[in-house]
Amino acid sequence: MIDHNDLIGKKVYRAFDKKIFVCCTLSINPKNYEISIVLVDLDNFEKYMLNPMELSVLGGYAHLVLWDHFIENYKFSQYKDFSSSKLEFSHNVLAVNWQLIKRNFTDFLVPLIPEENKKNTGKDHP
């Protein structure tokens, strides 16, 4: 199965203008659990930007793209590029499995969110 580290460091091409980015990390919104892919323009990319502990490390270079809008507008490189992954896979493999990969990421990431940052529930309100 493809995991987080298999995407980190891969080049990404934007469909409408062919601009090249590098996938630096994934981000999950603790309120609605939406996953975003965090990209940095290749011209501004440096290796320390891969998998940062905080998005602030990327400064103004971070481009967040919602997971559900990614496949229709971006394409992953077929090469490993800056990735440390041992897997080689094509964009087509990702596209076919995109929602399954999202579900696996969500199942993995949501339990890691601190309780105080999780969504508000009815019991939180009087």
Side-chain angles (χ1 to χ4, degrees), residues 2 6 11 56 59 123-124:
I2 296 168
D6 297 324
K11 288 183 185 173
S56 61
K123 66 179 179 158
D124 295 331

Side-chain angles (χ1 to χ4, degrees), residues 37-87:
I37 297 173
V38 182
L39 308 174
V40 171
D41 186 325
L42 182 61
D43 295 336
N44 298 311
F45 172 74
E46 295 184 36
K47 282 195 173 187
Y48 77 86
M49 295 175 162
L50 293 175
N51 227 353
M53 292 300 288
E54 296 286 333
L55 289 180
S56 61
V57 170
L58 303 177
Y61 298 121
H63 298 271
L64 275 71
V65 180
L66 287 175
W67 186 273
D68 293 333
H69 300 279
F70 186 86
I71 286 293
E72 62 199 41
N73 296 306
Y74 295 85
K75 183 176 180 179
F76 276 99
S77 165
Q78 66 184 15
Y79 305 106
K80 289 174 50 175
D81 304 310
F82 303 101
S83 174
S84 61
S85 172
K86 303 292 186 239
L87 297 178

Side-chain angles (χ1 to χ4, degrees), residues 72-116:
E72 62 199 41
N73 296 306
Y74 295 85
K75 183 176 180 179
F76 276 99
S77 165
Q78 66 184 15
Y79 305 106
K80 289 174 50 175
D81 304 310
F82 303 101
S83 174
S84 61
S85 172
K86 303 292 186 239
L87 297 178
E88 290 192 29
F89 49 85
S90 70
H91 177 78
N92 293 340
V93 169
L94 287 172
V96 167
N97 294 296
W98 198 242
Q99 292 307 317
L100 175 62
I101 296 167
K102 175 186 176 183
R103 187 171 47 244
N104 289 335
F105 284 163
T106 303
D107 291 347
F108 173 73
L109 292 172
V110 168
L112 301 177
I113 298 172
E115 196 60 41
E116 62 271 12

